[in-house]
Amino acid sequence: MSEPFLLAKGATELFFTPRMGNRHGLIAGATGTGKTVTLQTLAENFSALGVPVFLADIKGDLSGIAKAGSATPKIAERLKALGISDHAFTGYPVTFWDIFGKSGHPIRATISEMGPLLLARVLNLNDTQEGVLQLLFKVADDHGLLLLDLKDLREMLKFIAENASQFTVEYGNISSASVGTIQRALLQLDQQGGSNFFGEPALNLDDFLQTGPDGKGVINILAADQLMQNPRTYATALLWMLSELFERLPEVGDLDKPKLVFFFDEAHLLFTDLPKEIEDKIEQVVRLIRSKGVGVYFITQNPIDIPERILGQLGNRVQHALRAFSPRDQKAVQSAAETFRQNPKLDVAETITELAVGEALVSLLDETGTPGIVERALVVPPRSQIGPITPAERDAIIKQSVIYGTYENAVDRESAAEFLQARAAARTGAASVTAPTAAAVPNQPRPLPGDAPAAPPAAGGGLMGALGNILFGTTGPRGGRREGLIETMAKSATRSATTQITRQVMRVVLGGIFGSKR
């Protein structure tokens, strides 16, 4: 069983219980009060227990986790105040990630994996425009068209717009104005680096669940300083990761330590202008992902940035100083004070405004899951370096990673864009364009609008003609089709594709979590 670790010390020593790590948590406080250092200390301790960690490096100063720290004057002063004399400085195994592929291994997702609900949020679509996007995904599903990157999305939009009259009866109205709005939003997303994020090879989330040679959990650091220029994309990308983890990981119940700890920095971005439908899904994921061994920790300035339904599920809390300069600030202070288990010796609301840098009000869950009485305490400093490592040191770590080379080169295989372009070229007689292969359309149960019915194989007489009918089927005088052996086998193979079918069933049953779908 994993031993508790010392997180902070006040009137008493405050130990974090690892088996309560999947009960989630909150780190809150104004800018410059010590939230990032607290996050670093928690990440280190989880890693030391063999628990992998994921966190986003918003300011670009968390890369120092990979390197041993030193007893700077401030650190030495903190250790002396805490009465700690055996604080061994050390570095931790780190994997660097970067959606843009500059400061870490590239992270990509396919359009299908992201799903229409989250994609609509990235594109800032209204309900009508989101409906058109949902329709696009449905058409792609029904015709077996792969949606992998932004090219596929653009070609599908063009296709459904050109055939709107034929799709309207079955799928609903397709507004040309909505299609135009989505196209413009895609152009903006592409200019902001969306083409880097959407594509293949897609991220395998198992690569987050690694341990180093020394048994420490790998700390996965997402370089988010550039990504933060588009906060909506940042928040949506992390939501996608969380939803994929929920969908992929098996139920494990309460373990003696988490399987993964996920830190969501600048959490207020997640809930800004958030549709209620997505908020409901986040609340569901936070509530249920605990049973899959994942702990989710939100880092934000004000606790009121977190919806109450989600805030109520965050059992481990570290509250740094808040400044009560405005009515909203005063409300935040009062709200934060009321969420703690009260300490009769402490005026919590007043103390929140008096905390020094590195001090916090701390309440942790005990072995039974009961919140501890809130205490004013100093947070234990990190053992690794506070502040970034050099670009050369980062580059060396990236190239020494066991996954180096896995994601560095993008793959552009045949998908919806290539199929639709080849189809259009074939219809206009452009012989120079290669026809799409079967890989582009793995399962096309019905023809696309404008396609001529598939011609049966040339019927020959005698044995060869009969064999052709058996293999390829026959078409009656009124267009009725009798399946051939090859078509029957293909459908059987499709039915046996249990992985994809299971994902589709999960998407229906769980509401797709966030609409995610391969």
Side-chain angles (χ1 to χ4, degrees):
M1 184 173 180
S2 300
E3 292 296 324
F5 58 82
L6 181 66
L7 179 62
K9 184 177 179 181
T12 62
E13 294 181 325
L14 301 173
F15 286 90
F16 190 104
T17 305
R19 67 185 304 267
M20 292 294 134
N22 66 335
R23 303 297 179 94
H24 314 316
L26 173 71
I27 303 172
T31 301
T33 57
K35 298 191 303 296
T36 301
V37 173
T38 298
L39 184 161
Q40 187 169 337
T41 297
L42 271 172
E44 289 179 358
N45 280 286
F46 280 122
S47 174
L49 292 171
V51 177
V53 172
F54 174 87
L55 55 87
D57 189 2
I58 301 294
K59 295 177 288 186
D61 55 3
L62 282 170
S63 59
I65 293 178
K67 188 175 181 180
S70 60
T72 62
K74 287 186 177 180
I75 296 293
E77 182 182 350
R78 177 83 62 86
L79 292 173
K80 182 178 179 181
L82 290 166
I84 297 175
S85 58
D86 58 347
H87 195 72
F89 293 100
T90 183
Y92 295 82
V94 166
T95 299
F96 291 111
W97 301 91
D98 182 5
I99 283 178
F100 301 98
K102 297 177 180 179
S103 300
H105 306 291
I107 288 182
R108 300 184 188 88
T110 66
I111 294 292
S112 290
E113 286 176 323
M114 180 65 68
L117 191 60
L118 278 181
L119 195 58
R121 184 167 189 260
V122 174
L123 300 175
N124 199 23
L125 305 182
N126 62 28
D127 291 343
T128 302
Q129 294 153 2
E130 183 182 335
V132 172
L133 197 61
Q134 295 271 8
L135 183 153
L136 181 153
F137 272 74
K138 176 63 175 170
V139 172
D141 286 350
D142 288 349
H143 296 89
L145 298 174
L146 296 176
L147 299 178
L148 302 179
D149 51 30
L150 293 184
K151 297 197 312 294
D152 295 327
L153 210 51
R154 291 195 191 96
E155 287 296 326
M156 280 298 301
L157 280 168
K158 179 181 175 183
F159 174 69
I160 64 172
E162 291 173 347
N163 297 276
S165 60
Q166 299 182 59
F167 284 130
T168 296
V169 174
E170 183 174 0
Y171 297 99
N173 186 49
I174 300 173
S175 164
S176 58
S178 294
V179 171
T181 300
I182 298 172
Q183 289 279 28
R184 289 191 294 274
L186 286 176
L187 178 61
Q188 292 177 349
L189 181 62
D190 197 5
Q191 293 172 340
Q192 294 168 353
S195 56
N196 295 88
F197 182 57
F198 293 107
E200 291 186 313
L203 173 67
N204 181 352
L205 289 171
D206 290 340
D207 288 331
F208 282 174
L209 306 174
Q210 305 295 324
T211 55
D214 55 359
K216 293 178 180 176
V218 171
I219 299 176
N220 299 275
I221 300 178
L222 173 66
D225 47 347
Q226 185 178 352
L227 183 60
M228 283 299 294
Q229 295 176 18
N230 188 349
R232 189 179 291 269
T233 302
Y234 162 76
T236 306
L238 265 65
L239 273 179
W240 165 73
M241 293 179 199
L242 199 58
S243 67
E244 286 289 295
L245 283 169
F246 178 86
E247 183 177 342
R248 177 173 299 191
L249 294 177
E251 297 278 342
V252 294
D254 287 326
L255 305 173
D256 69 328
K257 60 184 180 183
K259 291 183 66 174
L260 174 71
V261 174
F262 194 100
F263 288 96
F264 207 133
D265 204 355
E266 298 293 340
H268 66 280
L269 298 174
L270 174 59
F271 302 104
T272 300
D273 300 325
L274 189 69
K276 187 177 184 304
E277 183 179 14
I278 297 184
E279 183 180 315
D280 291 341
K281 295 300 182 183
I282 296 173
E283 189 268 337
Q284 180 189 29
V285 168
V286 172
R287 177 164 45 86
L288 298 179
I289 204 169
R290 186 187 88 182
S291 64
K292 303 197 172 192
V294 177
V296 182
Y297 289 71
F298 295 96
I299 298 94
T300 189
Q301 293 191 14
N302 285 330
I304 59 175
D305 294 332
I306 312 294
E308 288 188 11
R309 290 183 302 164
I310 297 174
L311 190 63
Q313 298 183 53
L314 311 181
N316 299 293
R317 301 193 180 189
V318 180
Q319 176 66 62
H320 289 277
L322 290 174
R323 311 306 178 199
F325 297 135
S326 68
R328 186 179 187 276
D329 293 338
Q330 293 168 5
K331 180 182 177 182
V333 168
Q334 191 60 40
S335 174
E338 292 173 352
T339 59
F340 285 109
R341 182 181 171 188
Q342 294 301 304
N343 184 339
K345 300 178 181 179
L346 201 63
D347 186 333
V348 177
E350 182 178 345
T351 303
I352 289 177
T353 62
E354 300 173 347
L355 295 169
V357 175
E359 270 195 309
L361 291 170
V362 181
S363 176
L364 305 174
L365 299 177
D366 63 17
E367 285 284 351
T368 65
T370 303
I373 294 174
V374 63
E375 292 206 30
R376 181 174 184 170
L378 273 174
V379 177
V380 174
R383 298 176 184 272
S384 59
Q385 175 177 301
I386 296 177
I389 57 177
T390 66
E393 289 171 328
R394 177 191 286 264
D395 188 59
I397 292 173
I398 293 170
K399 291 181 178 178
Q400 291 169 6
S401 170
V402 294
I403 62 170
Y404 182 68
T406 303
Y407 299 103
E408 271 61 31
N409 297 316
V411 176
D412 186 14
R413 62 179 170 129
E414 287 184 337
S415 50
E418 288 77 14
F419 174 77
L420 291 174
Q421 289 168 357
R423 174 181 176 273
R427 285 168 59 80
T428 57
S432 61
V433 179
T434 304
T437 64
V441 189
N443 177 25
Q444 186 176 333
R446 42 185 157 147
L448 294 166
D451 285 345
L463 179 60
M464 293 305 295
L467 181 60
N469 292 338
I470 292 172
L471 292 176
F472 300 104
T474 59
T475 302
R478 297 184 181 180
R481 283 283 298 155
R482 174 175 295 176
E483 293 182 356
L485 179 60
I486 290 179
E487 189 173 357
T488 301
M489 291 174 64
K491 289 189 175 183
S492 175
T494 300
R495 286 193 294 270
S496 69
T498 56
T499 300
Q500 183 164 348
I501 293 172
T502 301
R503 290 182 63 85
Q504 291 173 348
V505 171
M506 286 294 292
R507 183 180 180 188
V508 173
V509 173
L510 297 176
I513 304 305
F514 298 108
S516 68
K517 174 179 177 293
R518 294 192 188 276

